[in-house]
Amino acid sequence: MFSEFSSSIMLISLMAGALACFATFGFVASLYRASPDKYSKLLIVYSLLVGLGLFAIHFMNMRAFNHSYMNELSYFYLLLAFGFATSVGYSVLHTANKLTLPLYSLILSGLQAGLSGYGIFIFFSKAMLENQYEILLLPSLLAIAIAVGVGILSIITYYWLKSYDGAHRYSVRAFFSILISIGILSTHLAFNTCLGSVNTYGADSNILNSSFITMLFAMVLIFVFLTAFIVVVFYDKLNPNIVKRINFRNTTSVTNPLDSFDPLTKLPNRNALNQHLKLAAKRCDRLGDSMALAYIDLDHFKPVNDTFGHHVGDLLLVEVAERFNSAIRNCDYIARAGGDEFVAILGEINAHESIVAVVQRIIDAVKEPFFIEGHLIEISCSVGVAIYPRDGNLEKLKVSADAAMYKAKENGRNQFRFYDAEIEQASDEMQKIRKELLDAIEKEEFTLHFQPKIVSKTHAPAGAEALLRWNHPSKGLLTPIYFIEAAERFGFIDRINNWVLTEACKTINMAHSNGIQLSLSVNLSRQQFRNAQLVDHIKSVMEVYQVPPQNLIFEISETHAIHNQNQFKKLLSKFKFAHLKVSIDDFGLHPFSLTYLQNLEVSEVKLDKSFTSGVAKYGSALAIVDAVVKLAHALNLTVVAEGVESEDQRLALLTTGCDQLQGYYFSKPVPAEQLFAIYHKLNAHYSHSGEFSISDYLDLEAYSEEV
Ligand code: C2E
Ligand code: MG
Ligand code: MG
């Protein structure tokens, strides 16, 4: 029955297949742009349509090769065949529309498509040729393998090209459609080799003639060679980044590509973003249209960098950029604004839901874990959305989207937030603080106060901690809690930190001129961790004010140290090399601090206030402090208790052997002159009586700051 086949029907089948594949590109693109609520309905409709197409192609192929099948038809089996065809459509459409295409998912869906393809054929055969054939095992396995290969190829192709909107998109689609159609035809030829006919005398006979086999090989060869050719020539060109880049070419007028693209992620950079934003705003003004600006910030990206290193951080950014790029629609635009910040411009936002759909897709894009260099990394992102022109002009729009993004972070991250009246108010407040902080830096409204540390046993002065204060023109003296976070957020913290360091060195130098050997503790901020030149910078400032290394100790909060372990260790070795001492501030808040301490080369730990407040009241708190002090001593570390507020606490801490004490009980933080006065008084008392007196600290209560 395979002795003849109709080449004209085969050609028609090839053309019909190519047409169906071409139409499938449209289905995939439509699904890609669909909002989540419409997605499943559309998926069902499109799967049915693809199923119908495949059914028709198979029907034609059956006709082309097997004329004698056409005598009787079983509608039941035809229906089953149609069901399997729909299943092929579903697996290809759904998988191609996923945000990521991990290998296992590709293989599973390829298998589903291949086996369903085999199912179509088997049920077609049953429908047309009941009991006149038997299924041969080896050819079946071969046919299924070819079918799976074609399934995988079509999934990859649709996945790659779903958002491809370049100038040659129709030719590219047509080309791939023909390729997949050849694949389908070869699959069908391979299927035909799976049936052996059972003749009237009950003996099996080889049903294939040599021209048929030649034809199968020719088709498979053409298919394999064309596929290999495409993979080699187009692979690089078809990754989603490039796809979107083709889009952007028309919208950015930057001549040098380096000026407009971020070299790491290949997304447009801030320059290009600003240009595009201006053009898009002009377009909106002209047409009376709206657009949305979405500020996207990765949550917890820094710990990734710190834990796995910058190389992994970079690779993660590249993958994140790819996923974001796939998550947006063709009418949208995405750029990397710097660091872990991305900005999307969403066009065609006639309905609120269309923004929500895209923004949600952006958030979902990073939900699936990343596998980078053997590490499984889970992150999320927070998105702030502002709408042009509703939420203000371009400048205001950026601030608004940024403020909305911060609100999303504040609300618990991994979510989006639209700019609204509440944020407007908070954002105005932040803008006010920003301006005031800038003024404060320029007008030098900052000042340092110093809180003495005392040696527990002898009451001798052990130095002081430098604490930053802002002499606000209308609000008076402000402690860091009111402004450090804002300073970090607006990027002023480096300037403030540098000022603190210089001022501390100046004070040590001044103390020296006043006959005082002063050693100061300086708090380091989170940002300073990342500054590779930190130690060099510290050394240069120390040199200017002739401060010896033993007069400075740098406090790093335990929380920052634990969240940035790798960076912290690197930093510690640099400090050690420069003979600079490091103290772990607010120690004891994390359960694993004790074991962690073993591996660190620090000089001091500062027990958190929460321990101090309990030592006089609870035996358990005292026991913990006792244990920590013993362990720290075993590791050769000095232990300082901060937040000492009463005589009872002082006495309790004394029993533990804690080396130094600091707290309101002795003195609140005071300006430099008052600190010097305390030292003079202590020294005078000492030269007179041979001992230091706590009352010399206490007496100075009158000088203490009111904050
Ligand atoms: P910290 O380094 O743990 O500083 C100790 C804080 O406890 C200071 O708060 C101090 O005034 C307060 N304190 C001292 N004795 C007592 C006491 O007996 N009872 C209580 N309840 N509190 C006491 P302050 O000055 O408000 O500083 C808060 C935090 O701000 C500091 O915590 C430090 O992390 C940060 N900070 C202070 N100065 C700087 C600075 O120059 N640069 C940076 N980056 N951060 C700073
Ligand atoms: Mg401190
Ligand atoms: Mg502290």
Side-chain angles (χ1 to χ4, degrees), residues 465-467 521-524 555-557 583-586 606 642 662:
E465 177 171 9
L467 293 159
S521 307
V522 172
N523 290 286
L524 289 183
E555 295 191 3
I556 299 177
S557 114
S583 165
I584 304 213
D585 203 356
D586 308 323
K606 271 188 116 171
E642 59 181 7
Q662 180 187 340

Side-chain angles (χ1 to χ4, degrees), residues 207-235:
I207 57 172
L208 301 172
N209 65 20
S210 61
S211 70
F212 185 86
I213 296 282
T214 317
M215 172 99 181
L216 169 63
F217 274 104
M219 289 311 261
V220 171
L221 275 183
I222 291 172
F223 179 68
V224 169
F225 277 116
L226 272 179
T227 307
F229 171 76
I230 281 160
V231 171
V232 171
V233 177
F234 288 97
Y235 183 80

Side-chain angles (χ1 to χ4, degrees), residues 74-90:
S74 154
Y75 292 108
F76 171 69
Y77 285 124
L78 280 184
L79 200 67
L80 274 178
F82 177 65
F84 275 85
T86 308
S87 156
V88 176
Y90 176 86

Side-chain angles (χ1 to χ4, degrees), residues 3 43 155 162 246 248 298 350 378 437 487 509 516 597 640:
S3 53
L43 181 62
I155 291 168
K162 66 175 176 278
I246 297 167
F248 293 143
L298 299 184
N350 5 19
E378 284 180 282
L437 267 172
N509 186 296
I516 300 167
L597 203 58
V640 184

